[in-house]
Amino acid sequence: MTRSIKRIVICTGGGDAPGLNAVIRAVVLASANRGWECYGIHDGFNGILFPERYPEGGVFRLTRERVRGIAHLGGTILGTTNRGNPLHYPTRMPDGNMGEVDRSGEILDYFATQELDALVSVGGDGSLTIADALHKRGLRVVGVPKTIDNDLDKTVTTFGFDTAVSFATECLDRLHSTAESHQRVLVVEVMGRYAGWIALHSGIAGNAHTILLPEIPFDLDKVVQQIRARDDDGHLYSLVVVAEGAIPLEGDLEIAAAAQAGHEQRLGGMGEHVAKELEQRTGKQARVVVLGHLLRGGSPTSFDRIAALRFGAAAVRALDQGLSGVMVALASPNVNFVPLAEVAGRMKAVPLDGDTVQTARDLGICLGD
Ligand code: F6P
C-alpha cells in the first residue's frame, strides 16, 4: 500500500519562465496547509545528482517563510537548467567523447532513502517527459505546465506565455514610432522554439504588418509585396515579426548553436537573415531587434501569476486525491488533470485553421504565404 503523503518535493526544469516562483509559493502553502513538509531541489535535478555543489544541501526545506513575497518575482528561487536531463545526462565517456547516461535511478533512490513521497515537476516538454518516465518507474509525480513558448499540448495555455507576449507587444508598440520616423523596416525576432505562438500573438497585438511563423514556410517575395504596397499607400515603414523557428520556403532553420550531448540545438538568426534580404530586395533600410531572453525575464503578468498559483495549488490537490502521472492543465474556466503520457514528447503548434491565424489574415497581416 502506498503510504500517505507527508513530504513532497518540487523542482523547476528547462528555461525559466515568469510565474515559476508563484507556483513554488502555491505548492508550499497548499502543502503546509495539509500538514505536509515541502522541499525544493536546486537547479532541476542537479541538487540530487551533485549535492556537493550546494552548501545548504542540494535539496532544502521550503517553509512558509522561505516563499513569502516571491509570487511576483521572475526566475525561480530553486534555480533551473536545460542541460540536466537525468535520463540523458551529458557525461564524458571512457573513450573521452561526450555521451549521455541514464541517471534516473539516483533520483528514485534519493526519494526512497530520504522518505520523500512525491514530486511536483514544473517544466516544459523536456521536464514533463522526465516526470512521465519517473512516474512510470514508480515515483508519485504531478507535472505543472511552464513555458513562454506555449507549445505544450492538452492545456489552453502555459504560464509564462502571457508575460512574454505582453513584453513583446510593448516592444512592438515602441518600435512603430522609430520605424515610421526613419521610414525603415524593423524586424523583430522572438523566441518560441518550433512554434509560432509568441510571434503570432504579439504580432497581432502589436500591429505588426508581417508575421513569420514556423508553421507557415515563408516566401520573402510576399513580404516584399506587402512592404511595397504599404509604401504605395504612403505608409513608408513596416514591422515584421519573425519567430526564431520560422523557415523560408526554400531554405532551412537558422541554428545559433548545434545540439550537443544533453542539450538541444539553439535557434536564432532568422531575424538577421530576413532583415538583410528585405534591405536588399526593397532598397529600404532594415534593422533587426532580437528580443531573446528579455522575453523570459521580469514579473509575471497578473494572468500568469494567477495561472501559476492555480496550477501549484491544483498540483497539491492532485497528490492529495491520490493522483500521479498527471499534469495540471488549464481547461478554462477550470483546471483539470491530464495524463503526462498524453503531453510528453508532443508539441502544440499554432493551428492554421484556428481563428487567431484567421484574424491575422482578416486584418491584412502578411503571413509570408
Ligand atoms: O523554451 C524556452 C526558450 O526560451 C525558447 O523559446 C528558446 O528557443 C530557448 O528556450 C532558449 O534556450 P537557452 O536558454 O538555452 O538559450
Side-chain angles (χ1 to χ4, degrees):
M1 204 182 96
T2 41
R3 66 183 216 133
S4 61
I5 290 182
K6 293 197 181 72
R7 286 142 59 89
I8 71 163
V9 179
I10 178 166
C11 74
T12 52
D16 68 327
L20 280 168
N21 284 323
V23 177
I24 295 167
R25 176 169 163 80
V27 169
V28 170
L29 297 187
S31 308
N33 290 337
R34 285 168 170 77
W36 304 352
E37 287 179 5
C38 192
Y39 294 81
I41 312 176
H42 279 295
D43 303 338
F45 289 102
N46 282 350
I48 293 178
L49 301 178
F50 303 100
E52 69 284 358
R53 289 184 187 169
Y54 305 94
E56 67 173 339
V59 178
F60 61 103
R61 183 75 198 279
L62 288 170
T63 58
R64 287 176 190 275
E65 285 307 316
R66 193 93 189 225
V67 298
R68 184 155 289 147
I70 65 167
H72 65 294
L73 302 177
T76 159
I77 61 165
L78 302 179
T80 188
T81 174
N82 52 14
R83 291 168 188 254
N85 183 343
L87 304 172
H88 303 279
Y89 209 91
T91 305
R92 190 157 302 282
M93 307 308 268
D95 64 3
N97 292 323
M98 288 304 285
E100 296 177 352
V101 294
D102 182 354
R103 298 187 63 180
S104 60
E106 294 168 56
I107 312 284
L108 297 172
D109 287 349
Y110 186 88
F111 272 76
T113 55
Q114 302 298 313
E115 300 191 332
L116 299 166
D117 303 309
L119 172 69
V120 175
S121 175
V122 191
D125 179 42
S127 307
L128 297 174
T129 302
I130 298 165
D132 185 42
L134 292 174
H135 158 72
K136 287 179 175 142
R137 291 170 203 187
L139 195 65
R140 269 195 270 191
V141 185
V142 170
V144 174
K146 164 240 66 171
T147 166
I148 64 164
D149 304 335
N150 195 38
D151 58 355
L152 284 177
D153 208 4
K154 305 285 174 197
T155 181
V156 170
T157 188
T158 54
F159 73 85
F161 174 62
D162 186 65
T163 310
V165 169
S166 301
F167 180 73
T169 302
E170 188 191 328
C171 293
L172 288 166
D173 289 348
R174 287 168 184 250
L175 290 169
H176 276 274
S177 56
T178 178
E180 186 167 19
S181 303
H182 287 264
Q183 304 175 0
R184 283 173 171 158
V185 175
L186 246 302
V187 176
V188 182
E189 182 184 298
V190 295
M191 281 186 169
R193 228 182 269 271
Y194 307 103
W197 294 100
I198 298 177
L200 181 64
H201 284 232
S202 62
I204 294 176
N207 283 307
H209 308 108
T210 293
I211 305 172
L212 304 179
L213 311 172
E215 291 84 353
I216 304 178
F218 64 85
D219 177 353
L220 272 177
D221 287 340
K222 296 284 166 54
V223 185
V224 170
Q225 275 170 26
Q226 162 91 351
I227 292 170
R228 292 215 170 110
R230 281 181 53 75
D231 278 356
D232 292 345
D233 283 347
H235 306 299
L236 301 175
Y237 78 102
S238 286
L239 248 62
V240 179
V241 176
V242 179
E244 63 177 358
I247 311 174
L249 253 184
E250 286 166 18
D252 226 328
L253 280 170
E254 287 286 337
I255 312 288
Q260 291 166 12
H263 191 38
E264 286 179 29
Q265 69 184 6
R266 199 150 50 78
L267 303 178
M270 191 52 81
E272 185 71 44
H273 168 79
V274 167
K276 271 195 189 138
E277 285 289 323
L278 291 179
E279 187 161 279
Q280 262 177 20
R281 297 187 196 196
T282 64
K284 299 175 78 75
Q285 285 186 358
R287 297 285 188 270
V288 63
V289 178
V290 179
L291 295 184
H293 293 82
L294 287 167
L295 296 175
R296 298 229 302 250
S299 262
T301 57
S302 53
F303 179 91
D304 277 340
R305 227 177 278 186
I306 292 169
L309 291 165
R310 290 172 70 196
F311 286 174
V316 172
R317 287 201 302 278
L319 290 173
D320 206 7
Q321 288 165 23
L323 296 176
S324 177
V326 295
M327 179 189 84
V328 179
L330 185 62
S332 301
N334 292 312
V335 294
N336 66 3
F337 305 117
V338 296
L340 278 170
E342 289 182 12
V343 181
R346 296 198 194 170
M347 192 198 87
K348 181 177 71 180
V350 171
L352 297 186
D353 56 355
D355 87 282
T356 316
V357 166
Q358 196 50 53
T359 299
R361 295 194 192 282
D362 286 339
L363 294 174
I365 296 172
C366 168
L367 298 179
D369 60 346

